[in-house]
Amino acid sequence: LPELAVESYGLNLKDTTKYSVKGIIDHDQQEATIAEIADYLNKVYCNNVAVEFTHIKDTEERDWFRCNYEKCLKREIPSDYKSRIMEMLIKSQTFDQFLAKKFPHIKRYGGEGAESMMVFFDEIFNLAMQDGIQNAIISMPHRGRLNFMTGLLNFQPGAMFSKMMGRSELPPSAKGTGDVLSHLFKTIDLTVEDKTLHISLLPNPSHLEACNPVACGKTRARQLLTKDADYNETDLTNKTLCLQIHGDASFAGQGIVTETLMFSTVPHFRIGGSIHLIVNNQIGFTTEPEKGRSSLYSSDVGKIVDCPVIHVNGDNPEDLVRATELAFMYKQKFAKDIIIDLICFRLWGHNEMDEPAFTQPIMYESIYSKTSVPDSYAKSLEESKIVSNDRVTAIKDAYTSNLNSELKNVEDSKIEISHLQNQWSGYVQASHENTTWDTGCDQNTLLYVGAKSVAVPESMAVHPRLQKTFIENRLDKLKNAANIDWATAEALAFGTLLLQGFNVRISGQDVGRGTFSHRHVMLVDQKTDEVYIPLNNIISDQKGFIEVANSTLSEEAVLGFEYGMSIESPKNLVIWEAQFGDFFNGAQIIIDAFISSGETKWLLQSGLVMLLPHGYDGAGPEHTSCRIERFLQLCDSQESQIDGDDVNINVVHPTTPAQYYHLLRRQMLRNFRKPLVVASPKILLRYPDAVSTLTDLMPNNHFQPVLGDNSVDANKVERVIFCSGKHYYALDKQRESLKADNVAIIRIESLCPFPTQLIEKEVSRYKNAKVFVWNQEEHQNMGAWSFVSPRFEKQIGLKLLYTGREALACPAVGIGVLHKEENAKVLAAPFEVQ
């Protein structure tokens, strides 16, 4: 490269003048000739390690990195550690070779060609323990995962062999279906001398990089649990480390990587930086780098947040040790992300069944002619007289013998999954029963919390409109114990949970104010821009707090982060609110791979709440529907069997503030956790009829899956209309205008679990009813119709008549006249259809 030639800068290698290099480079001499300087720079910057750091904007960071990089490269690796490195590499290789022989048709996604990653993990764990770190949270894809688990996380090989033979990895008493071999996970305490590191290798789906924000969220939740980093005002030390392992093609290609990086230093999402390791096979499945990205390096995306990058040749594990130390030092000092790009290779195809030479013949001709990294490194140590050939052979033989023993005794092996332990102790997997939980609070507590929810310091300058329409309005409602609106009910649910010691976190775009300017859980001083959160100042010795996380404009990564927060502790009410209901579309992978199936696959319970504003109000195709049909399709509810608490997710469409209040409190008071999907309101936030009384929130009250109709005489009813959501209010007005006092309207507030017995109870009141109708504002191929129809027919014995919008390609029309015409038809039909 011309840039690396000294002549390009007007210098001459024959110049014998000695120049001062003090403070410029970490040379052994304080003065050096141009030739000596060039030789030093070539050895340090153009060898097995290369760094990118000049893009860092902060001068102090840049200088620190250059100086410490040069020092780290000079680190001498002790002979005993070199021997340990050799042993880790040889064992990893032996493990892959053993599996290839004993399980030749299993896709194991081995670590062959990337064995040096074991050295990274070993070094990072040692450094973490020495620095007082207590927890490590790891996201990792499939490549080399089994090697890592058996080699360093003490995962019993026999238990892994059992899984390869098709047996379950779940405890016999647990309800679940498990996951594939390459998604196994492990939690363990590693102890060296008197230092202990709690390691959580998270389960991963096959969607590459999807686990990254989950690991970040779990890391922040661990910081909340241990009260360190951002959650400790007096001690900012970080005792939890997040490690993110990536593939080269996925790191460059998956947008969730960028989304996760972009909130790495954002308040309420920052975790003090992550250390990233790209296991760079220089190929993605069968795609070469030049076809897999437009940038020079797969790590280039990290530069958008000033990530320094350390490129390391995977053939040189000792240099990876040095790079790992530098990465750890940087992360600890600057609390920012850093990337190690491990340049290695993949011995086989994407999995061991693939033939890579079909598409990369020249590359694989070179790979097949290479001596493996473990053998090459072992030979170098033999030549240096650090280990003998007999020692290397003994390690291989002993490990192979151990693996054979594990395979022979596979019946005695079992996978130990930490299920409902530690902070989850006392919680259970939900039963098939339908339980009811009294979620009310006494009047004095409600009044106190309500007043405190809008109490601000005297010196604070509140916006005058909020002072009148929000603060004074709420106080009036509390005084009258009536007309409790959605925001007030939510604040009362939050505040009472905080008093009970739970934490609340609400996250999403503009959640502090609320998309529809209704929440205002955080108030901004009009003179100073300072934020004040009244709910964090309810009592002097408050134990539970609310975190209001106005997020980046991301759905997938932010929802993944919140899921990670929710699986760490059952004491955290974690809520993600979409700006509009259909915005969850961008996070579908998180919903499919984690939220709806995490407990079934991995026994991980989550009480995550998703608030998805929904309702047909003329907003057009994109801001109307939360696609409730998609969530109902994800439910494991059975068409012909009564649902219990053990359904995988709860899907609700509440119509009153009290119902919403009880749902939020139920999420925390139950002795199990389930994700809750709420088709939340837009116009109901301020709708005069959609209010509750304070009595509705008091003891002996709970969420009601079905709201019956007490406004008509049951004996006169000839027609029953079933509906869900805010559409009820339009139907009620239509009934009133028609003076149809022979029509009952029943609201199905809980769609999953489907409340069969409660519906039956309501239907039994109407002895003279002859027509039973389902009415929805959604189109026929959307909404709840396809879900409720077979359940009404098979479980209750009612074949409902459908009334609603006709099937359509998009959720709503964009032409105002059409919208009004549709509305009129939808409201007229249920009262006319026969």
Side-chain angles (χ1 to χ4, degrees):
L1 290 176
E3 294 92 335
L4 298 181
V6 297
E7 291 80 6
S8 299
Y9 306 96
L11 302 173
N12 190 338
L13 287 173
K14 296 180 180 180
D15 183 356
T16 58
T17 307
K18 294 274 189 176
Y19 296 94
S20 174
V21 294
K22 185 178 180 181
I24 302 173
I25 58 175
D26 196 39
H27 199 278
D28 293 336
Q29 305 296 323
Q30 299 212 0
E31 293 184 339
T33 64
I34 296 298
E36 290 170 336
I37 294 171
D39 181 61
Y40 172 84
L41 293 175
N42 275 316
K43 287 179 180 177
V44 172
Y45 290 96
C46 304
N47 212 317
N48 295 321
V49 183
V51 288
E52 295 180 89
F53 64 92
T54 56
H55 58 277
I56 297 175
K57 299 177 185 66
D58 186 86
T59 305
E60 179 193 354
E61 264 184 67
R62 228 173 25 245
D63 290 345
W64 181 95
F65 195 89
R66 176 196 55 76
C67 181
N68 283 276
Y69 164 66
E70 295 182 20
K71 289 178 179 177
C72 279
L73 277 195
K74 295 180 180 180
R75 172 184 168 184
E76 289 293 329
I77 309 297
S79 294
D80 59 342
Y81 193 43
K82 290 182 180 180
S83 180
R84 175 169 171 76
I85 291 173
M86 177 275 297
E87 185 171 345
M88 286 188 289
L89 298 180
I90 290 294
K91 282 185 174 181
S92 180
Q93 176 175 266
T94 302
F95 179 74
D96 276 324
Q97 292 171 344
F98 182 87
L99 294 185
K101 182 178 179 181
K102 301 295 184 181
F103 299 94
H105 302 299
I106 291 291
K107 295 177 181 179
R108 52 189 166 82
Y109 305 101
E112 292 157 297
E115 292 94 346
S116 290
M117 76 167 80
M118 303 291 284
V119 178
F120 164 81
F121 285 117
D122 188 67
E123 175 68 4
I124 208 77
F125 293 160
N126 286 331
L127 291 169
M129 283 187 270
Q130 292 169 17
D131 205 51
I133 287 176
Q134 299 171 356
N135 303 282
I137 312 293
I138 307 172
S139 63
M140 182 182 188
H142 45 278
R143 180 75 53 212
R145 188 179 178 96
L146 306 185
N147 309 63
F148 172 50
M149 293 175 69
T150 54
L152 291 177
L153 299 188
N154 298 338
F155 195 101
Q156 188 181 4
M160 195 169 283
F161 301 155
S162 176
K163 177 66 176 174
M164 291 178 183
M165 294 174 176
R167 297 167 184 157
S168 174
E169 71 273 25
L170 304 181
S173 60
K175 291 181 287 186
T177 56
D179 203 349
V180 297
L181 177 69
S182 55
H183 298 172
L184 291 175
F185 56 100
K186 179 72 173 177
T187 298
I188 188 175
D189 288 331
L190 289 186
T191 301
V192 176
E193 297 176 351
D194 61 338
K195 307 283 188 180
T196 298
L197 181 66
H198 182 75
I199 299 173
S200 298
L201 174 64
L202 298 183
N204 65 300
S206 292
H207 292 282
L208 297 173
E209 310 294 345
C211 200
N212 302 352
V214 177
C216 293
K218 186 173 173 67
T219 299
R220 188 165 177 94
R222 183 65 57 84
Q223 293 169 344
L224 172 61
L225 185 69
T226 57
K227 293 292 184 287
D228 70 317
D230 275 1
Y231 297 103
N232 191 325
E233 295 180 359
T234 59
D235 181 6
L236 296 178
T237 56
N238 189 349
K239 298 181 177 63
T240 301
L241 173 67
C242 184
L243 302 177
Q244 297 180 44
I245 316 304
H246 314 277
D248 50 316
S250 58
F251 194 77
Q254 290 292 315
I256 195 170
V257 173
T258 307
E259 290 184 29
T260 306
L261 285 169
M262 287 306 291
F263 61 52
S264 60
T265 60
V266 170
H268 309 294
F269 292 89
R270 63 191 176 205
I271 55 173
S274 294
I275 297 178
H276 302 261
L277 176 72
I278 300 174
V279 180
N280 192 340
N281 299 313
Q282 305 177 70
I283 189 171
F285 209 130
T286 65
T287 304
E288 298 91 344
E290 61 271 18
K291 297 175 183 176
R293 60 179 184 267
S294 295
S295 63
L296 180 60
Y297 299 114
S298 60
S299 56
D300 282 345
V301 66
K303 294 178 183 177
I304 61 177
V305 290
D306 276 4
C307 262
V309 182
I310 311 171
H311 303 277
V312 187
N313 188 324
D315 287 356
N316 297 275
E318 292 179 19
D319 282 327
L320 181 56
V321 172
R322 299 179 179 100
T324 302
E325 181 183 25
L326 176 63
F328 182 81
M329 289 167 57
Y330 173 85
K331 184 265 173 195
Q332 289 299 91
K333 180 171 180 60
F334 296 104
K336 290 176 59 180
D337 288 42
I338 185 169
I339 298 169
I340 297 176
D341 181 23
L342 180 64
I343 312 297
C344 50
F345 61 92
R346 187 186 70 199
L347 183 59
W348 309 110
H350 177 66
N351 63 68
E352 288 72 21
M353 306 297 104
D354 281 345
E355 173 49 73
F358 286 161
T359 49
Q360 279 77 35
I362 296 175
M363 171 188 265
Y364 274 85
E365 182 181 6
S366 175
I367 287 174
Y368 291 151
S369 67
K370 273 179 66 73
T371 302
S372 73
V373 174
D375 288 345
S376 177
Y377 186 70
K379 185 177 181 181
S380 71
L381 295 193
E382 291 172 26
E383 293 172 350
S384 303
K385 308 298 182 184
I386 294 174
V387 298
S388 65
N389 182 261
D390 290 344
R391 168 66 178 151
V392 175
T393 302
I395 290 171
K396 293 179 183 178
D397 292 346
Y399 195 49
T400 302
S401 176
N402 176 63
L403 294 175
N404 274 313
S405 177
E406 290 279 336
L407 183 57
K408 181 180 179 181
N409 300 300
V410 70
E411 297 290 345
D412 301 326
S413 301
K414 63 177 182 178
I415 296 176
E416 296 179 359
I417 293 179
S418 55
H419 176 47
L420 300 177
Q421 297 176 11
N422 301 321
Q423 61 265 34
W424 285 88
S425 179
Y427 289 81
V428 300
Q429 276 199 292
S431 71
H432 196 61
E433 301 296 318
N434 282 291
T435 57
T436 299
W437 299 77
D438 186 342
T439 46
C441 290
D442 68 87
Q443 183 176 5
N444 288 338
T445 300
L446 291 171
L447 291 173
Y448 179 77
V449 169
K452 282 292 187 178
S453 72
V454 288
V456 298
E458 289 185 9
S459 60
M460 183 173 181
V462 178
H463 193 287
R465 192 189 308 170
L466 289 181
Q467 179 65 41
K468 182 177 181 179
T469 63
F470 182 71
I471 296 178
E472 294 176 9
N473 194 13
R474 177 169 295 179
L475 294 174
D476 285 343
K477 291 174 180 179
L478 293 167
K479 182 179 178 181
N480 296 322
N483 297 320
I484 303 298
D485 60 10
W486 219 269
T488 302
E490 181 184 74
L492 291 173
F494 289 170
T496 52
L497 287 172
L498 297 177
L499 285 182
Q500 290 176 266
F502 296 102
N503 294 303
V504 176
R505 174 184 169 93
I506 184 163
S507 166
Q509 296 148 23
D510 314 297
V511 294
R513 188 202 76 161
T515 299
F516 309 102
S517 194
H518 71 286
R519 178 173 291 121
H520 298 290
V521 73
M522 52 174 274
L523 296 169
V524 180
D525 191 302
Q526 298 298 295
K527 295 182 179 178
T528 66
D529 263 358
E530 290 185 9
V531 171
Y532 185 77
I533 300 176
L535 285 173
N536 281 337
N537 297 275
I538 301 175
I539 55 176
S540 58
D541 60 344
Q542 193 164 324
K543 298 295 189 295
F545 294 93
I546 183 170
E547 184 167 18
V548 184
N550 285 330
S551 76
T552 57
L553 197 63
S554 153
E555 283 81 38
E556 186 179 5
V558 170
L559 185 58
F561 187 98
E562 304 312 326
Y563 174 80
M565 289 283 297
S566 73
I567 62 174
E568 171 63 17
S569 171
K571 299 295 186 182
N572 302 331
L573 175 61
V574 181
I575 301 170
W576 178 74
E577 182 175 63
Q579 196 167 57
F580 288 92
D582 56 341
F583 283 17
F584 80 86
N585 276 333
Q588 193 67 57
I589 287 174
I590 302 298
I591 295 165
D592 290 349
F594 293 97
I595 296 171
S596 66
S597 59
E599 183 177 3
T600 303
K601 293 188 294 188
W602 311 313
L603 303 183
L604 291 180
Q605 292 192 28
S606 165
L608 178 68
V609 178
M610 295 177 62
L611 301 180
L612 308 176
H614 174 89
Y616 281 61
D617 49 16
E622 267 70 60
H623 284 1
T624 293
S625 173
C626 76
R627 293 286 195 173
I628 200 166
E629 66 277 0
R630 294 186 181 173
F631 293 97
L632 293 173
Q633 188 182 44
L634 288 172
C635 296
D636 60 4
S637 166
Q638 303 296 311
E639 286 187 0
S640 56
Q641 296 177 21
I642 295 176
D643 289 340
D645 289 340
D646 56 350
V647 291
N648 61 327
I649 57 175
N650 292 175
V651 181
V652 298
H653 202 169
T655 56
T656 73
Q659 288 280 78
Y660 177 50
Y661 161 91
H662 289 297
L663 280 166
L664 292 177
R665 287 186 49 77
R666 190 182 71 171
Q667 278 298 96
M668 291 290 97
L669 298 184
R670 295 194 293 195
N671 61 347
F672 59 89
R673 295 289 177 262
K674 290 288 180 180
L676 174 64
V677 178
V678 182
S680 56
K682 294 184 285 182
I683 68 168
L684 292 193
L685 295 172
R686 296 180 177 86
Y687 195 66
D689 292 342
V691 292
S692 301
T693 67
L694 204 63
T695 303
D696 295 333
L697 314 183
M698 289 164 60
N700 302 317
N701 284 296
H702 57 86
F703 170 70
Q704 299 181 58
V706 177
L707 288 180
D709 192 344
N710 296 318
S711 67
V712 292
D713 184 345
N715 293 320
K716 293 182 180 180
V717 170
E718 298 176 356
R719 179 183 295 261
V720 178
I721 301 173
F722 296 93
C723 68
S724 187
K726 68 99 173 170
H727 186 53
Y728 160 77
Y729 293 98
L731 282 173
D732 190 37
K733 283 192 176 299
Q734 181 77 358
R735 176 176 60 179
E736 184 180 343
S737 69
L738 296 173
K739 295 183 172 54
D741 60 359
N742 64 340
V743 177
I745 304 174
I746 298 176
R747 287 172 270 179
I748 311 300
E749 302 275 293
S750 170
L751 293 165
C752 184
F754 188 69
T756 302
Q757 293 160 319
L758 294 174
I759 295 173
E760 287 177 331
K761 183 179 178 181
E762 284 300 316
V763 170
S764 69
R765 296 173 56 207
Y766 306 111
K767 307 296 183 184
N768 300 315
K770 300 178 182 62
V771 181
F772 296 90
V773 183
W774 177 264
N775 185 241
Q776 65 180 36
E777 56 180 353
E778 298 87 359
H779 294 275
Q780 189 170 4
N781 57 326
M782 303 171 199
W785 167 244
S786 60
F787 182 84
V788 301
S789 177
R791 286 162 178 77
F792 266 96
E793 186 171 354
K794 295 178 181 180
Q795 297 183 30
I796 302 172
L798 288 179
K799 190 171 180 63
L800 299 181
L801 299 172
Y802 172 79
T803 57
R805 285 174 165 83
E806 297 177 357
L808 195 70
C810 56
V813 298
I815 300 170
V817 172
L818 289 180
H819 173 72
K820 289 180 180 180
E821 290 176 358
E822 284 183 340
N823 258 359
K825 291 179 182 178
V826 168
L827 290 173
F831 296 93
E832 300 170 352
V833 68
Q834 297 294 334

